[in-house]
Amino acid sequence: MTSYPTPEFRRPALAPGILGAIVLIAGLALLDNPGGYLVIKFGVAILALIMCVFAWQARQWWWIIGLAVIAVAWNPVWPFAFSGQVWVASQFVASLLFVATGLLVKVINPEDRNRSKTGARR
């Protein structure tokens, strides 16, 4: 028997959410550099799609709406020509959505040793 309990839930989207927020905030410095910002667009779009998968697996589909908008708006394949203060503000809004999704998307931990076989807590 171990002395430390295992968590009841896992937050699989937390790491990509924090990383996506960091990439978006760092991308503010590269907004005027098209070549450097292309890397930011790739990172943001890929992390948004990864988080869509985690939200789907957690059966919290409402997060997919915002994350899909981020994946489309920051997609590097068919880029949109966004600029100005609205685009800068959207960087912050998207980073908040990344962090909120990472914190709130939870899945039940199948390795929870605190639960008995019937599902009740000891």
Side-chain angles (χ1 to χ4, degrees):
M1 180 147 183
T2 62
S3 60
Y4 294 107
T6 57
E8 184 177 355
F9 291 100
R10 288 184 183 172
R11 288 187 171 89
L14 184 60
I18 292 173
L19 186 60
I22 291 170
V23 169
L24 279 164
I25 299 302
L28 289 172
L30 297 173
L31 279 175
D32 295 331
N33 182 358
Y37 194 69
L38 181 66
V39 175
I40 300 298
K41 284 186 171 188
F42 268 107
V44 171
I46 290 169
L47 288 168
L49 293 174
I50 289 170
M51 292 183 70
C52 282
V53 171
F54 288 137
W56 181 269
Q57 289 174 344
R59 292 183 175 89
Q60 296 180 3
W61 301 286
W62 51 90
W63 292 109
I64 295 174
I65 297 167
L67 293 170
V69 169
I70 291 173
V72 169
W74 273 267
N75 88 70
V77 179
W78 292 291
F80 295 104
F82 296 127
S83 62
Q85 293 297 336
V86 175
W87 184 241
V88 172
S90 67
Q91 301 276 115
F92 289 111
V93 171
S95 65
L96 288 174
L97 182 66
F98 266 118
V99 172
T101 304
L103 287 173
L104 297 175
V105 169
K106 297 187 273 186
V107 294
I108 295 174
N109 187 358
E111 300 170 4
D112 186 7
R113 295 183 301 258
N114 306 322
R115 220 177 336 177
S116 67
K117 301 276 187 217
T118 61
R121 288 247 172 210
R122 286 188 251 187

